[in-house]
């Protein structure tokens, strides 16, 4: 029986990548070493690192004036690392703007309050995080150090369908985007952002690696309290080798990047992701036995939260899913219900198997 893993992260990886890594686990390319055993400064690992960086640059068409940093600390770490690196642009008492569209932007703005004045320019909390608020309604500060958005809310299932144009209203403040859960799932224009960051453990590779893509002019403003290992300028000057980077996670990420290229790149993946999400939402919308509360137009292609009309059936639903090899469908503990994460590595067959089960389960229980 095929197994399909719908975990929100750490999440499914391409089978080909895992098989490839397995085959060279003990001896990488005749070096006599596992990648895990190599010095991060040795020629073997340096070649892995350089290829990973170049492949990512190719996949996202990262402009030459942006640096790619391979860090640690995860998405939550970046919630502190971003303000420590950027509020210094505007000095003591600087304001930073946040758009609150769900659990993760909420966590980010709380953390930033330790380092700056936080202005919540817009929030959909009162409506249960069901959309991205219209940009014209954002109450932006006139001159913030940066504007933070989470372009895909992993828990609430809300995804930005547009890039907000805020420059004219903010003195050209950089847009900072937490893309942890949908980076590489759709074509993006990196030049529209000042900083893009994300934990790797969803669409890229194993936990432990955090990706930061930062425009060069935003380097060099770190607060004195910023740990050197998290000072983007220091990390950039040392090509992410200021301290020991998460070498094995970078290696796996590099294999995922190669896999993405073989699949036709991000545009090809985006088409597949649209097909998968369309199939799943159509199934959920076809009956009131299931419910997704996000307004169409803002629904995430990666994380699909849904509720059973009769929540007393939740355990039976999950047990039946497990029997069919459909794993990790339980919703985040903070919101309950179910969640199907359908990242790049989830094949259409996995979504079809889930849809078949959703239909069968609803029929069996009077839906
Ligand atoms: N931001 C987003 C959008 C996330 O989905 C997550 C993790 N689910 C985080 C931040 C936090 O990441 P980490 O656990 O790597 O700190």
């Amino acid at each position: 029986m095929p197994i399909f893993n719908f975990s929100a992260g750490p999440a499914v990886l391409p089978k080909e990548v895992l098989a490839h890594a397995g085959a060279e686990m003990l001896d990488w390319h005749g070096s006599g070493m596992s990648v895990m055993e190599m010095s991060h400064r040795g020629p073997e690992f340096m070649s892995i690192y350089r290829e990973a960086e170049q492949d990512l640059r190719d996949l996202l068409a990262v402009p030459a004036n942006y640096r790619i940093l391979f860090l640690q600390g995860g998405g939550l770490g970046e919630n502190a690392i971003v303000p420590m690196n950027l509020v210094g642009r505007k000095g003591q008492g600087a304001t930073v703007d946040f758009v609150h569209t769900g659990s993760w932007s909420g966590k980010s703005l709380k953390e930033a309050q330790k380092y700056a004045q936080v202005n919540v320019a817009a929030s959909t909390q009162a409506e249960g995080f069901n959309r991205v608020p219209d940009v014209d309604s954002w109450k932006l500060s006139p001159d913030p150090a940066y504007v933070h958005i989470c372009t895909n809310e992993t828990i609430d299932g809300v995804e930005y369908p547009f890039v907000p144009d805020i420059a004219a209203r903010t003195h050209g403040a950089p847009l900072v985007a937490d893309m942890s859960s949908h980076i590489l799932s759709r074509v993006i224009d990196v030049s529209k952002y000042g900083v893009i960051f994300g934990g790797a453990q969803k669409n890229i590779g194993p936990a432990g690696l955090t990706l930061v893509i930062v425009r060069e002019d935003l380097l060099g403003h770190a607060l004195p309290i910023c740990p050197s290992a998290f000072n983007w300028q220091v990390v950039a000057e040392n090509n992410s080798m200021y301290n020991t980077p998460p070498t094995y996670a970078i290696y796996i990420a590099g294999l995922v990047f190669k896999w993405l290229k073989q699949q036709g790149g991000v545009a090809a993946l985006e088409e597949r992701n649209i097909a998968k999400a369309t199939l799943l939402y159509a199934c959920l919308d076809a009956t009131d036995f299931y419910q997704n509360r996000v307004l169409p137009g803002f629904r995430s292609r990666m994380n699909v939260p849904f509720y059973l009309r009769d929540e007393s059936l939740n355990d039976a639903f999950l047990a039946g899913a497990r029997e069919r090899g459909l794993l990790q469908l339980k919703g985040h503990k903070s919101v309950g219900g179910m969640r199907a994460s359908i990242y790049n590595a989830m094949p259409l067959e996995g979504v079809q198997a889930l849809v078949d089960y959703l239909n069968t389960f609803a029929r069996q229980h009077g839906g």
Side-chain angles (χ1 to χ4, degrees):
M1 179 177 67
I3 297 291
F4 296 109
N5 175 3
F6 295 91
S7 169
V12 59
L13 287 167
K15 292 262 172 303
E16 298 91 326
V17 166
L18 296 177
H20 186 120
E24 57 190 26
M25 166 67 81
L26 298 182
D27 180 6
W28 184 82
H29 294 199
S31 66
M33 294 181 280
S34 170
V35 174
M36 270 183 262
E37 303 171 302
M38 291 173 183
S39 162
H40 56 299
R41 298 184 199 285
E44 297 89 353
F45 184 75
M46 284 307 293
S47 72
I48 291 172
Y49 164 83
R50 281 204 204 93
E51 269 189 46
E53 187 188 356
Q54 188 57 51
D55 285 338
L56 180 61
R57 204 171 265 284
D58 297 344
L59 283 164
L60 289 177
V62 178
N65 63 327
Y66 282 72
R67 297 299 302 262
I68 294 175
L69 311 179
F70 293 106
L71 284 162
Q72 301 179 57
L76 288 185
E78 282 306 315
N79 287 344
I81 296 166
V82 170
M84 280 196 285
N85 276 279
L86 291 185
V87 296
R89 292 180 66 243
K90 296 289 169 186
Q92 276 282 316
T95 299
V96 297
D97 282 6
F98 277 76
V99 180
H100 189 192
T101 49
S103 312
W104 291 110
S105 51
K107 281 213 160 85
S108 300
L109 73 90
K110 268 204 142 147
E111 186 76 9
Q113 282 166 344
K114 295 180 184 169
Y115 306 96
Q117 301 289 331
V118 167
N119 168 46
V120 180
S123 172
T124 54
Q125 187 162 28
E127 296 129 88
F129 299 128
N130 62 352
R131 67 193 168 94
V132 178
D134 190 41
V135 189
D136 294 336
S137 73
W138 296 8
K139 294 192 169 52
L140 295 162
S141 309
D143 193 17
Y146 62 91
V147 178
H148 176 119
I149 60 175
C150 176
T151 45
N152 186 62
E153 291 278 4
T154 322
I155 293 177
D156 309 275
V158 176
E159 183 167 7
Y160 275 65
F162 57 84
V163 186
D165 188 0
I166 47 129
R169 290 154 68 198
T170 58
H171 265 87
L175 189 60
V176 173
D178 176 355
M179 293 196 184
S180 294
S181 50
H182 76 160
I183 192 163
L184 292 166
S185 72
R186 60 191 299 153
V187 174
I188 54 166
D189 180 352
V190 173
S191 73
K192 297 265 194 289
Y193 302 87
V195 178
I196 291 169
F197 73 86
Q201 68 270 24
K202 294 150 194 313
N203 236 354
I204 295 181
L209 168 65
T210 317
L211 207 65
V212 173
I213 302 173
V214 53
R215 211 174 59 216
E216 268 169 358
D217 63 286
L218 299 174
L219 300 173
H221 303 286
L223 298 176
I225 56 161
C226 181
S228 306
F230 293 140
N231 179 328
W232 291 338
Q233 184 173 37
V234 173
V235 177
E237 278 168 357
N238 289 278
N239 292 317
S240 299
M241 304 278 171
Y242 174 73
N243 65 337
T244 313
T247 51
Y248 199 75
I250 292 171
Y251 157 71
I252 298 286
L255 295 181
V256 171
F257 299 152
K258 293 224 177 291
W259 177 83
L260 284 170
K261 282 185 153 181
Q262 280 157 12
Q263 305 296 306
V266 178
L269 261 298
E270 178 168 8
E271 264 179 48
R272 274 196 232 168
N273 289 330
I274 291 171
K276 289 185 294 179
T278 305
L279 178 65
L280 182 50
Y281 283 112
C283 167
L284 295 171
D285 286 345
T287 160
D288 63 3
F289 190 86
Y290 301 109
Q291 192 191 23
N292 172 281
R293 298 173 183 164
V294 181
L295 298 180
F298 305 102
R299 289 170 161 185
S300 170
R301 294 176 187 158
M302 294 287 101
N303 309 99
V304 183
F306 62 92
Y307 295 88
L308 274 60
R309 183 180 56 206
D310 177 358
E311 294 230 284
S312 71
L313 293 173
N314 281 358
D315 288 345
F317 177 87
L318 289 168
R322 266 193 307 275
E323 273 170 29
R324 285 172 168 238
L326 308 173
L327 305 184
Q328 309 207 64
L329 282 162
K330 194 170 181 177
H332 192 271
K333 60 183 186 309
S334 63
V335 292
M338 307 296 156
R339 174 172 51 173
S341 295
I342 49 175
Y343 296 121
N344 281 343
M346 172 62 65
L348 183 64
E349 301 82 73
V351 179
Q352 188 60 57
L354 175 59
V355 163
D356 293 344
Y357 175 61
L358 285 163
N359 288 332
T360 305
F361 188 84
R363 259 198 319 275
Q364 283 168 350
H365 294 88

